[in-house]
Amino acid sequence: MVDIDLEKFFDRVNHDILMSRLARRIKDKRVLRLIRRYLQAGMMSEGVTTARREGTPQGGPLSPLLSNILLDELDQELERRGHTFCRYADDCNIYVQSRSSGERVMKSITSFLDRRLRLKVNAEKSAVARPWERKFLGYSLTSNREPRLKVAKESVKRLKGKLREIFRRGRGRNLGKLIVEELTPLLRGWMNYFRLAEVKGIFEELDSWIRRKLRCLIWRHWKRTITRAKGLRQRGLDEVRAWASATNGRGPWWNAGASHLHAAFPKSYFDRCELLSLRDHRLRLQWTS
């Protein structure tokens, strides 16, 4: 597989080349003048306005459309060569039979983009590799004989980073509000995006990790030994076990994974707190699709 990433694509779109491609499709010169003015709109940097000589305004609703019009020429070139490929904006995967074929395609497509569209391939982010060694739009593939879609490791790492920030902010806060106002909206959006993933193990692992982090917050919130023992008794543990658990001398993370906090705060407790389970939400999405 050839994984191509264009270097600073939205910053380096050549205005003249883009306008020439638009002129092939748009005959109204007033529209073309309006698009040209949009492309050349000044950029504000540290209070100073500078002219834009290349690139498209990032964040603008028109920029993705204009970029796709420009890269349509790449799509046509790949189709003409008979390649199987998938492209989304400036990310493109081209599927070939061997590494040597991939290296030839990488070299020729890099030359085509530079010569015809004045675009540069990012050598650091592009590679010739097995499909399961790369990611595309946050997804990756398994190495099975019949590959299945899975969430890429980088996507999981990025989600955990966002969750850790929420957990840090959540120390001392009401657990219910933290779950409803911050955790569940983030998890729902993430799961809706990765609903196509066929490998379900990662969702179960993340569910378990999130609940353990929440139990860790509870243990930290209780602070004192007597408070922990009292809290465990209120959650259904007998007095002997509650005191033994509260005085074990272990850290919050260890206790969050221990049986006493699992018994005191099972999955059903977090379900009642409206914590979204990735595994359960994925099943609901599959039933409704």
Side-chain angles (χ1 to χ4, degrees):
M1 182 189 82
V2 181
D3 185 0
I4 292 178
D5 181 86
L6 297 176
E7 186 173 310
K8 296 182 179 178
F9 172 66
F10 288 98
D11 293 332
R12 293 187 172 177
V13 170
N14 185 284
H15 290 175
D16 293 333
I17 293 176
L18 175 57
M19 292 307 301
S20 70
R21 302 305 186 268
L22 289 171
R24 297 174 185 175
R25 301 166 179 263
I26 302 172
K27 303 305 178 184
D28 192 329
K29 292 185 178 180
R30 294 172 299 175
V31 175
L32 292 173
R33 282 198 298 269
L34 184 62
I35 294 174
R36 171 73 79 168
R37 288 177 183 174
Y38 169 80
L39 291 172
Q40 294 178 337
M43 298 179 290
M44 183 71 74
S45 177
E46 298 180 355
V48 179
T49 303
T50 56
R52 187 190 302 274
R53 304 187 185 282
E54 63 178 359
T56 60
Q58 293 198 37
L62 190 58
S63 295
L65 174 60
L66 296 177
S67 302
N68 269 327
I69 291 173
L70 180 64
L71 289 174
D72 184 59
E73 192 162 339
L74 171 62
D75 296 344
Q76 293 177 12
E77 177 66 15
L78 292 173
E79 289 174 355
R80 186 185 66 79
R81 298 185 185 189
H83 290 308
T84 300
F85 68 96
C86 183
R87 181 183 67 79
Y88 184 86
D90 57 334
D91 289 327
C92 182
N93 284 355
I94 307 168
Y95 301 97
V96 294
Q97 294 292 330
S98 65
R99 174 171 287 275
S100 57
S101 298
E103 290 171 351
R104 286 197 302 271
V105 170
M106 174 70 83
K107 184 177 180 180
S108 62
I109 292 300
T110 298
S111 175
F112 170 83
L113 289 167
D114 180 54
R115 186 181 70 257
R116 294 290 297 272
L117 301 179
R118 299 291 187 270
L119 296 173
K120 185 178 179 181
V121 172
N122 189 326
E124 292 183 2
K125 293 185 178 181
S126 302
V128 177
R130 299 286 189 183
W132 52 87
E133 296 173 352
R134 307 293 292 177
K135 66 180 180 67
F136 184 65
L137 303 179
Y139 284 90
S140 187
L141 292 169
T142 64
S143 58
N144 301 343
R145 187 176 184 85
E146 295 184 4
R148 295 187 297 160
L149 270 179
K150 68 176 184 178
V151 182
K153 292 180 180 179
E154 295 87 344
S155 300
V156 176
K157 184 178 179 181
R158 200 154 43 241
L159 173 66
K160 283 189 171 183
K162 293 179 181 178
L163 290 171
R164 284 190 180 98
E165 184 61 34
I166 292 175
F167 292 133
R168 275 193 291 270
R169 296 198 304 268
R171 293 178 184 178
R173 288 182 56 190
N174 179 277
L175 190 70
K177 284 188 176 181
L178 179 72
I179 289 172
V180 172
E181 295 176 3
E182 297 198 49
L183 282 179
T184 289
L186 172 63
L187 295 173
R188 180 175 286 110
W190 191 85
M191 189 65 252
N192 286 345
Y193 180 81
F194 287 106
R195 64 190 300 172
L196 299 178
E198 298 169 285
V199 179
K200 64 181 182 179
I202 188 58
F203 303 123
E204 296 170 352
E205 290 175 21
L206 282 170
D207 280 338
S208 178
W209 182 81
I210 291 166
R211 289 193 293 270
R212 185 171 180 178
K213 293 291 281 187
L214 289 170
R215 293 185 187 106
C216 190
L217 279 181
I218 294 169
W219 195 252
R220 288 179 182 276
H221 180 67
W222 282 344
K223 294 182 182 178
R224 299 171 61 194
T225 300
I226 191 169
T227 307
R228 290 170 175 172
K230 182 180 178 181
L232 290 172
R233 289 201 307 271
Q234 289 175 344
R235 293 299 305 165
L237 273 67
D238 63 73
E239 187 170 354
V240 174
R241 188 181 180 191
W243 273 106
S245 302
T247 57
N248 61 36
R250 301 276 190 164
W253 182 247
W254 186 90
N255 279 282
S259 61
H260 53 272
L261 275 185
H262 274 262
F265 298 97
K267 178 180 180 298
S268 57
Y269 170 82
F270 295 109
D271 289 340
R272 291 194 297 274
C273 290
E274 300 183 34
L275 175 67
L276 184 134
S277 164
L278 295 174
R279 175 183 173 276
D280 295 347
H281 190 55
R282 175 179 177 272
L283 291 173
R284 285 194 294 271
L285 291 173
Q286 288 181 333
W287 278 106
T288 57
S289 61

